[in-house]
Amino acid sequence: MNLDAFRELLTPRGQEALAAAAGTAGDDPVAAVTRLRRTYDADLTSAALTQAALRARAAEKFGADAGLMYFTRTGLEQATRREVADHRARRVPAGSRVADVCCGIGGDLLALARAGCTVEAVDADPLTAAVARANADALGLGDRVTVRAADASALDPAGFDVLFADPARRTARGRTFDPMGYSPPWPAVLEMVSRARAACLKVAPGIPYDLVPARAEAEWVSWRGDVKEAVIWCGALAGTVPRRATLLPSGVTMTPDPALGAPSTGPAGRYIYEPDGAAIRAHLVAEIAASVGGRLLDPQIAYITADDAVATPWASRYEVHETLPFSLKRLRAALRERGTGNVTIKKRGSAVDVDRLRKDLRLSGGESATVILTRIGERPFAFVCTPG
């Protein structure tokens, strides 16, 4: 979809085409095109059908709002889900003037506007900027938002209360995990931060710790067990702790306990706890181990073992039924003896190819089990478990 085709979607005739495209949901694609082409030209038909398909996909991230919003394929893939964006926006004081220097299709500027902020946003891509503007209008937030196509450098952070930056992590070659390959690159982002009173930076969860600015607070956010992002809070928005982990949708948060040292290690107990990835990234495994009365199986690997079942939102718990030095033959025999046909395989610190192992096990029973593969010291182990 190009910019002209998108603009046509916003006209009365384009809205008619979009409504017609929504009515073809579930139809054969060729039949849907044929149906719309009786009334609309090829470009408008393509734009309307593409938009209808993207809205359907976007419902998982944006809920009911998706039916009113506009998307590009890349923009939807990179957009923050609404609950995560709203969590972030609640930390920005209502009434703040925010500079959003990499706005994408507008997921974050919408959350900031809903939270009572006024937002001036830019995006380097004219189509993406037009989509963001249309989304603000479609959701009744247009009076709090201005959007234009421009480079991030077009906004001076010093003229705003808060800088918000979500640098693009995709290049012509695909997704990049190197902050120096972000757009704008990390040094340029930090230069903007140096001119801001307060800043919120959305970055990939795997950002190297040494790239987090001094005196900033890094927050790792997990949505239903899936680590979605890291947020770096700078200046007036930084808290008094260097790092935290947050679980959504509950909003439960954890910060370091300065009284704790490194967790102890010891033999496998009745249970293994697998910490949430946000807590692992935030270096909070010791805090979780203390909360469940546990210890690490290996000092370098984030599996906690304990003798008691303790409820915690911060880790998945598995009851251990068998502990085996790893070998395919012994593991297969143990699973077959339990009548296992469906197996979930988890691993940390193991070189085993999970897909190959699943095939080699050749299971056919009616029971389910979880196999945890890890190492203790230099020795590989397998734990046959069930959740709970």
Side-chain angles (χ1 to χ4, degrees):
M1 179 176 61
N2 58 36
L3 182 56
D4 288 339
F6 177 69
R7 286 174 173 161
E8 190 174 4
L9 271 183
L10 303 180
T11 66
R13 182 170 175 78
Q15 293 296 292
E16 291 176 3
L18 191 51
T24 67
D27 288 0
D28 174 79
V30 174
V33 170
T34 302
R35 177 176 164 184
L36 264 67
R37 281 299 308 276
R38 296 190 186 113
T39 308
Y40 308 103
D41 63 39
D43 287 344
L44 184 53
T45 292
S46 176
L49 288 170
T50 296
Q51 204 57 229
L54 291 173
R55 283 180 168 180
R57 285 174 49 196
E60 195 272 333
K61 278 189 175 182
F62 291 95
D65 285 349
L68 300 173
M69 292 173 67
Y70 300 90
F71 303 95
T72 64
R73 285 189 175 89
T74 299
L76 174 57
E77 180 180 319
Q78 296 181 332
T80 306
R81 66 177 306 121
R82 173 169 176 167
E83 295 91 345
V84 178
D86 285 347
H87 162 74
R88 243 189 282 109
R90 284 192 288 270
R91 189 156 169 174
V92 179
S96 296
R97 294 184 62 249
V98 181
D100 183 345
V101 296
C102 318
C103 72
I105 63 168
D108 289 292
L109 69 85
L110 296 173
L112 289 163
R114 281 192 298 265
C117 301
T118 58
V119 186
E120 187 170 340
V122 296
D123 195 275
D125 177 57
L127 172 59
T128 302
V131 170
R133 171 76 257 177
N135 283 335
D137 291 338
L139 296 180
L141 298 168
D143 60 337
R144 296 182 182 175
V145 172
T146 61
V147 186
R148 57 194 169 104
D151 187 80
S153 62
L155 296 181
D156 180 6
F160 296 84
D161 299 312
V162 176
L163 166 70
F164 180 83
D166 177 11
R169 296 185 287 279
R170 183 172 292 278
T171 68
R173 296 181 179 179
R175 184 173 296 180
T176 178
F177 297 96
D178 179 5
M180 300 305 169
Y182 288 1
S183 181
W186 195 240
V189 173
L190 295 184
E191 192 282 325
M192 286 188 283
V193 170
S194 72
R195 292 184 280 124
R197 304 172 203 172
C200 173
L201 312 178
K202 172 188 167 186
V203 295
I207 186 168
Y209 299 105
D210 60 0
L211 294 185
V212 176
R215 296 180 296 281
E217 175 189 336
E219 177 185 18
W220 282 266
V221 179
S222 176
W223 169 261
R224 300 192 187 280
D226 185 12
V227 185
K228 290 297 184 183
E229 63 181 46
V231 189
I232 299 176
W233 303 98
C234 303
L237 287 177
T240 58
V241 294
R243 60 192 188 278
R244 75 171 60 238
T246 299
L247 305 180
L248 295 178
S250 69
V252 175
T253 193
M254 178 184 284
T255 58
D257 181 348
L260 290 177
S264 63
T265 60
R270 182 175 176 182
Y271 297 95
I272 289 178
Y273 293 80
E274 180 183 31
D276 186 272
I280 294 174
R281 289 298 304 169
H283 289 176
L284 296 172
V285 174
E287 284 73 6
I288 299 174
S291 72
V292 300
R295 56 200 177 268
L296 296 182
L297 288 167
D298 181 278
Q300 304 301 318
I301 299 174
Y303 279 133
I304 298 166
T305 187
D307 303 310
D308 298 315
V310 179
T312 174
W314 290 101
S316 300
R317 186 177 69 236
Y318 301 91
E319 184 174 3
V320 178
H321 301 291
E322 293 195 57
T323 301
L324 308 169
F326 178 76
S327 82
L328 173 61
K329 182 177 180 180
R330 293 181 67 178
L331 179 58
R332 182 194 294 137
L335 291 170
R336 288 181 174 177
E337 185 175 343
R338 298 180 61 84
T340 303
N342 179 41
V343 64
T344 299
I345 302 174
K346 295 176 168 288
K347 72 168 190 172
R348 284 200 180 120
S350 169
V352 173
D353 183 323
V354 170
D355 292 334
R356 176 65 181 270
L357 174 61
R358 194 184 307 278
K359 293 177 182 177
D360 289 345
L361 286 172
R362 300 194 302 275
L363 302 174
S364 59
E367 300 298 320
S368 297
T370 298
V371 172
I372 295 176
L373 304 176
T374 190
R375 61 171 173 78
I376 301 175
E378 298 301 319
R379 298 182 64 197
F381 278 84
F383 297 88
V384 179
C385 312
T386 51

